[in-house]
Amino acid sequence: MILFDLGGVIYTSDRHEAVRRFGSLGLKDAEHQLSMYTQTGLFGALEEGKISDKEFVAQLSDKVGKSLSWDDCRLAWLGYATFLPQRNLDVLLRLRHMGFRLVLASNTNPFMMSWIDSCDFDGKGNSIRSYLDELYVSYKIKALKPSPGFFEYILQKEKIQAENVLFIDDGPRNVEAAHSLGIHTVLAVNGEDWTEDVLRLCTQTDF
């Protein structure tokens, strides 16, 4: 089984654009509030499932001092995802054809999932479910990477041993946490091509 992070792996993550968009909504400390890997504060509460998307809209509206809409927040969140490389989608299909079970393992939220899990995802009428077999996301698991509980939840649900799993993520702390549990790991670099390394590992390693 192969676990894939979302931002920085499947799509190229652009934190600066997300900061710019939230800043345009009136969030003065957007640079401090937004992370590339694990959110904190109001943003972390959303991604850990402690508050709903509607509660996030209400609390962010209070924070910036004006009424924001759900779509305002969605557009700002989608600043993180400005590019979806076709090569990444192609390799997901190739790995599936090779017989691997492919699973999403992401810190994310309902705003991002409204794009990812929709027919708008790849620009060809397909959602991410056309490429992956299962989706495990932080706000539904109620745990954030790099918490061990995030990975343990997936291992338990999938009824699989850690040594039989490969995990690809662009966050060093996330990769370290998975590795400490015995999961095979690949540290991707946001915006760079990780596909050849993963294909090589999948043909050379028995996991």
Side-chain angles (χ1 to χ4, degrees), residues 101-120:
R101 179 169 171 80
L102 307 185
V103 170
L104 183 70
S106 177
N107 288 347
T108 191
N109 60 72
F111 299 102
M112 296 300 298
M113 291 304 292
S114 71
W115 163 61
I116 295 156
D117 202 11
S118 79
C119 61
D120 295 326

Side-chain angles (χ1 to χ4, degrees), residues 20-32:
R20 187 192 70 78
R21 293 188 188 186
F22 275 105
S24 72
L25 294 181
L27 185 63
K28 292 184 172 59
D29 59 347
E31 181 71 34
H32 174 71

Side-chain angles (χ1 to χ4, degrees), residues 54-179:
K54 291 181 180 179
E55 289 171 322
F56 177 86
V57 173
Q59 291 184 33
L60 187 61
S61 295
D62 288 342
K63 190 173 181 65
V64 302
K66 64 180 178 181
S67 179
L68 301 174
S69 70
W70 192 93
D71 287 335
D72 289 335
C73 295
R74 179 183 189 271
L75 181 62
W77 273 108
L78 288 177
Y80 272 108
T82 55
F83 182 54
L84 179 63
Q86 183 61 44
R87 66 166 186 265
N88 295 353
L89 300 180
D90 291 341
V91 83
L92 293 177
L93 294 176
R94 183 173 173 183
L95 289 167
R96 250 184 166 181
H97 183 72
M98 291 166 64
F100 288 100
R101 179 169 171 80
L102 307 185
V103 170
L104 183 70
S106 177
N107 288 347
T108 191
N109 60 72
F111 299 102
M112 296 300 298
M113 291 304 292
S114 71
W115 163 61
I116 295 156
D117 202 11
S118 79
C119 61
D120 295 326
F121 171 66
D122 67 354
K124 300 175 183 178
N126 302 304
S127 79
I128 200 169
R129 294 179 189 270
S130 295
Y131 301 92
L132 301 179
D133 298 297
E134 187 57 84
L135 312 180
Y136 292 104
V137 291
S138 58
Y139 73 97
K140 291 186 176 180
I141 292 176
K142 311 288 188 187
L144 288 168
K145 294 179 293 182
S147 165
F150 179 94
F151 300 101
E152 290 167 350
Y153 179 94
I154 297 174
L155 295 176
Q156 181 180 20
K157 284 290 185 180
E158 291 290 320
K159 297 181 172 60
I160 193 168
Q161 298 299 311
E163 59 266 27
N164 296 321
V165 178
L166 174 65
F167 173 56
I168 302 105
D169 197 293
D170 67 320
R173 290 179 61 214
N174 298 337
V175 167
E176 289 169 9
H179 183 73

Side-chain angles (χ1 to χ4, degrees), residues 4-14 36-37 145 167-175 186-192 194:
F4 292 90
D5 180 36
L6 191 53
V9 177
I10 293 179
Y11 67 71
T12 300
S13 187
D14 189 346
M36 185 69 76
Y37 307 119
K145 294 179 293 182
F167 173 56
I168 302 105
D169 197 293
D170 67 320
R173 290 179 61 214
N174 298 337
V175 167
V186 170
L187 178 61
V189 177
N190 181 46
E192 295 189 8
W194 49 264

